[in-house]
Amino acid sequence: MESLYEHAGGHDALRRFIDVFYTDVLADPLLQPLFGEGSPTHVDALTAFDSEVFGGPDDFTREHGGFAHIIAVHRGLRITEEQRRRFAELYLAAADKAGLPADAPFREALRTHVEFGTEVARQNSHAESDADLHPLRTMPRWTWPEESAGDG
């Protein structure tokens, strides 16, 4: 079965998607305070993260510090539930704007990925100690929803 990474169109398609998403995040008054003026490497890092999570190359682990880096950058941000929901909303809207595949199984995989990921980030952003962190400590691997496992 083709990976989510392949179905999305590979690195170039995910890069376009993340570029649209990041532009929207930086323009959003609710989310912009979490990102400041932005980072010139954030689009590349988030593209590498999503690529790896969706079954593509392990560039995020090799070049961007892996999941330990994700935990570290979210600590202390104190992400609110409203910010978490807005991040997920903009992520899914960017999939439309960037022309990612619109089939229901792929979009469900995107939705569950961003919902799970934003919840992990929100929890980690409030952690006072390592014991307060979400138990996930390694790069997740996202696959097709169960009901679509036989499709394709």
Side-chain angles (χ1 to χ4, degrees):
M1 175 183 269
E2 139 181 275
S3 69
L4 294 171
Y5 173 79
E6 293 164 330
H7 190 75
H11 179 271
D12 291 346
L14 288 173
R15 176 73 164 79
R16 279 190 313 277
F17 162 57
I18 296 302
D19 191 45
V20 167
F21 170 66
Y22 194 59
T23 299
D24 290 347
V25 163
L26 290 179
D28 188 88
L30 183 61
L31 295 176
Q32 190 278 328
L34 296 173
F35 292 85
E37 297 301 312
S39 164
T41 62
H42 202 184
V43 171
D44 290 337
L46 189 51
T47 300
F49 179 81
D50 275 3
S51 293
E52 186 169 338
V53 167
F54 293 154
D58 66 348
D59 294 346
F60 187 81
T61 295
R62 289 183 302 98
E63 300 171 10
H64 297 278
F67 203 72
H69 176 71
I70 291 289
I71 292 171
V73 299
H74 289 106
R75 286 191 86 160
L77 289 179
R78 314 229 22 105
I79 298 167
T80 67
E81 178 59 21
E82 185 181 19
Q83 288 169 320
R84 185 202 72 76
R85 283 193 313 265
R86 184 67 177 147
F87 185 98
E89 178 185 313
L90 292 179
Y91 186 89
L92 296 173
D96 288 334
K97 290 180 181 179
L100 287 186
D103 57 280
F106 180 74
R107 291 304 176 97
E108 179 62 10
L110 279 182
R111 186 194 66 74
T112 58
H113 161 67
V114 74
E115 290 290 336
F116 177 78
T118 55
E119 184 51 40
V120 170
R122 189 202 58 74
Q123 181 176 338
N124 290 345
S125 78
H126 291 270
E128 298 291 328
S129 70
D130 287 354
D132 297 331
L133 291 170
H134 189 279
L136 181 66
R137 298 292 199 284
T138 60
M139 285 293 287
R141 302 286 185 219
W142 223 255
T143 59
W144 293 99
E146 284 298 316
E147 59 273 6
S148 67
D151 301 345

